[in-house]
Amino acid sequence: MATVLITTDYLTPGDEVDVFLTRQGFATRHDPMRGPRRPEHLIAALAGVEGALIANEPMSEQVLSAAPELRAVVRTGVGYDSVDVAAATRLGISVSNLPGINSNAVAEYTIGLLLAQARNIVPMAAGVAAGGWPRRDGHELRGKTLGLIGRGAVARRVVPLAQAFGMTVLGTGELPTPAVLVTLDELLQRSDFVSLHTALTPRTRHLIDAAALSRMKPGAHLINTARGPIVDTVALAEAVRSGRLAGAALDVVDVEPLPADSVLRGVDGITVCSHMAGQTAEARLAAGLEGAEELVAALAGHPRSAVNPVTPR
């Protein structure tokens, strides 16, 4: 009986995913990811494992090379930058993600962050919790301009939601009408809110650096529900602290969990959340089941959403 490893923390022994995999003839091993992992931990967890259903595990070449029986890895989400895909390909390990699986959840969350920033919801609630009664004018979304960097499923779902609030939507990639296609420079200069929805690649790492932040409209807000390293956090903290930008709402950061000495801490206007944009009950259920189905298909040699089509070893 082949063994599969499950590290996604919301998947547990006896749940629907576990039952599905067991009925497909697999033995399951649960080792939920709840914080950073050392390579040695992952290597030990992968011993004797043929397939892995993972969270944001750092599946490096060192880890993958030490798992000789591993044939397929499936991410229960969209991003797969924690997996060394080139190494996996050389080793004959299929790597899959689940495109669009949590796009609605992330799109709704993005709008939530827009509202929170526009109306100062987080600092006002914190002030009341601390015993005060702060009151500060906010801004309406109606009539404002939202710039979407990225053209994937999340960005496409954000468009009609933003339109419902009466926002003008700009995009750097093909998006549904009424979004207007513009250059990145024009988007940065015109947008009251800039929201990131692009994958992390060598080209997009620190795409929003000091130079890009300096081109943003004075008083604008940055929203990031994509990947932390897309933003130069040192430059962002300085831009907000200086008053050049009004603030930022970040669901993802370059180092997670956020370090105690992060430059993002204590900056008025910056809100950091714990990478939860895609975590709804509906999205989790869909991701777990679809991920399990993809793992079974990949182990049979027929992955449906592989990012590196290979013949599993």
Side-chain angles (χ1 to χ4, degrees):
M1 181 180 294
T3 299
V4 296
L5 173 68
I6 302 173
T7 71
T8 302
D9 62 357
Y10 56 81
L11 299 178
T12 59
D15 65 9
E16 292 178 82
V17 170
D18 193 45
V19 170
F20 171 79
L21 289 170
T22 301
R23 287 177 176 172
Q24 294 296 315
F26 295 97
T28 58
R29 178 185 302 168
H30 288 77
D31 191 352
M33 179 181 176
R34 297 191 176 100
R37 299 264 192 147
R38 294 182 60 81
E40 296 80 5
H41 184 144
L42 270 176
I43 290 170
L46 287 165
V49 166
E50 294 190 27
L53 196 58
I54 68 166
N56 282 321
E57 309 284 8
M59 304 290 277
S60 63
E61 182 172 12
Q62 175 191 357
V63 170
L64 295 172
S65 298
E69 296 182 51
L70 186 64
R71 296 188 289 120
V73 171
V74 176
R75 264 282 289 124
T76 51
V78 179
Y80 52 90
D81 47 275
S82 67
V83 181
D84 188 333
V85 177
T89 302
R90 289 194 300 273
L91 293 166
I93 301 171
S94 172
V95 178
S96 297
N97 69 337
L98 305 178
I101 193 66
N102 58 9
S103 58
N104 189 70
V106 179
E108 290 184 2
Y109 188 88
T110 298
I111 296 298
L113 294 182
L114 289 176
L115 287 167
Q117 289 297 113
R119 301 300 296 273
N120 303 302
I121 291 174
V122 173
M124 294 301 98
V128 173
W133 195 250
R135 294 172 62 79
R136 185 192 309 172
D137 283 349
H139 294 280
E140 297 179 16
L141 296 184
R142 181 181 57 179
K144 301 301 187 298
T145 298
L146 170 62
L148 301 176
I149 297 178
R151 59 181 180 180
V154 175
R156 292 197 297 271
R157 285 185 178 271
V158 168
V159 173
L161 299 179
Q163 183 188 22
F165 281 93
M167 302 186 80
T168 296
V169 182
L170 308 178
T172 56
E174 185 178 348
L175 292 172
T177 304
V180 179
L181 179 63
V182 297
T183 64
L184 177 59
D185 277 351
E186 185 176 352
L187 182 147
L188 294 173
Q189 292 167 16
R190 291 178 54 186
S191 298
D192 299 292
F193 298 86
V194 173
S195 189
L196 305 179
H197 302 284
T198 187
L200 176 62
T201 66
R203 184 184 66 81
T204 63
R205 183 175 292 273
H206 281 194
L207 174 67
I208 305 301
D209 56 10
L213 292 166
S214 71
R215 296 196 298 275
M216 286 178 63
K217 186 176 181 178
H221 293 262
L222 180 70
I223 310 294
N224 188 9
T225 58
R227 283 293 182 266
I230 296 172
V231 179
D232 181 338
T233 53
V234 173
L236 174 62
E238 176 56 30
V240 176
R241 189 180 290 111
S242 69
R244 176 72 176 68
L245 298 183
L250 312 174
D251 187 56
V252 289
V253 289
D254 50 0
V255 178
E256 297 179 4
L258 186 68
D261 61 351
S262 171
V263 296
L264 298 171
R265 292 189 181 274
V267 181
D268 186 27
I270 294 183
T271 295
V272 180
C273 297
S274 53
H275 202 152
M276 54 187 286
Q279 295 192 15
T280 62
E282 296 85 355
R284 282 181 164 188
L285 177 60
L289 290 173
E290 187 168 320
E293 291 173 359
E294 174 66 11
L295 186 59
V296 171
L299 288 170
H302 307 290
R304 300 165 300 181
S305 56
V307 299
N308 67 332
V310 297
T311 300
R313 62 188 183 187

